[in-house]
Structure formats: C-alpha cells, structure tokens
Amino acid sequence: MNRKIGAILVLLSLASLLTAFTICIDPGHQEKANLSQEQIAPGSSETKAKVSTGTRGVNTGIPEYVFNLELSFILRDRLQEENFDVVMTRERHDVDVSNIERAELANSAAADLCIRVHANYSSDPSLKGMMLLIPSPTATYTAPIYEESRRASEKIMASLQQIEGITSLGIRVREDMTGFNWSKVPVLIFEAGFMSNPEEDALLASQDYREALVEAIVSGVVDYFLSRR
Ligand SMILES: [Zn+2]
C-alpha cells in the first residue's frame, strides 16, 4: 500500500476510535453561589455548599465562573474537532447546578472522563502554578475510579508541563470534593492557575495562553485514550 494512503487510513481509524469516547466538561461554579448544603459523599454526615462562590482575578477582576466557562468552550470545541462526544454540565452563567448534580450528569452520560475546570486562589499573592486534582484511592466511593483518573491526569500533566515557562504544582489527591465523591466515572479537576497572583491572573485572561492550555489538555486526553488498556 502507498505509504501516504496507509497513514491516512491510520488517522481515520484513530479518529473513529475517539468518536467512541464521551468527555464531560464541568465549568466550575456559576453566576450566583448556592450555599445550601449537600452531602460531601454518599452516606456522609459532612456537608458542603451546593455551589461555592469561586474566586476572582486580583488584577483583571474576571470572576472565576466566567474564566471557567470561557476555557471550557475552547476545550469543548477542540475535543469535538478530535471527534470526542462532549457533554457540558453548564453552558451559561445563570444556572443552579450543584456539585452532586454535576457528578450525576457525568454519570448518566456514562462519560469516559470528566474534566472539571477551575482557577485557584491563595492568600499568598506570590503563589502561582497549575495543578491537577484527582479523587482518593482509599475512600470506598472513589477507589473504583482512582486508577483511570490518575492515568488520565498523568498524561494531561506531562503534556501541560511542555508549555514554555509554565509552573506546575503537580497532581494532588483530594478526598473533600463533592464532585469527585459522587462520581462513578474517572474525573479530575484542572486548576488552571492562581487568580490571586497578578501575573498569572493576567496570563489566564490571555487568549493565547488559554489556547496553549487547551492544546496541552487535548493532547494529554488523546494520549490517554489511545493508550487505555
Ligand atoms: Zn473553583
């Protein structure tokens, strides 16, 4: 077979392979917080706000819920170009969707991976960097989704770390995330950077940087699904 035709056939079969996968994107927060409480995990007596307020750019004044949705739209469009099916937990700001409901949306879509998009805050304005958060391997409700969440995160992190000048704070396990604890599908939070750091806040507002972040995530997601056992 002609080598060029062979390469095209490989690409076509990869594209159709990815069509079989559904990604849920959860743009964190919403216009108005909902501070009524919900269980942090199935059967837990501990509760947290249904949707917390989120942060705001110290320099740009951009609310986190706006950044999260704008980045999520870029991510959605790029994943669709790669032939993934994409479901979103919200496409507007004026919604009221709790963290349990967001997890259940990903569950009922039988998503192969849920990517939750957030930006970070610290009282220390010098702190900056992106990180990925994943569910706990030891909590009984998240143990079944830990390994695939970790594998997807490692691929995405490796790709994000290629971005020139980016600060990486690595992959961290969290047991206190309602959206993790109710999830039955592999899930991670992309914390894009600190809106409390003036330079990183400005960077997160730039279209070029947003596109670079999304390109890296998409490349990591593709690597993950192509290598999935
Ligand atoms: Zn957030």
Side-chain angles (χ1 to χ4, degrees), residues 28-29 52 54-55 64 68 117-119 191:
H29 310 281
S52 62
T55 186
E64 184 196 342
N68 295 341
V117 175
H118 283 259
E191 285 282 2

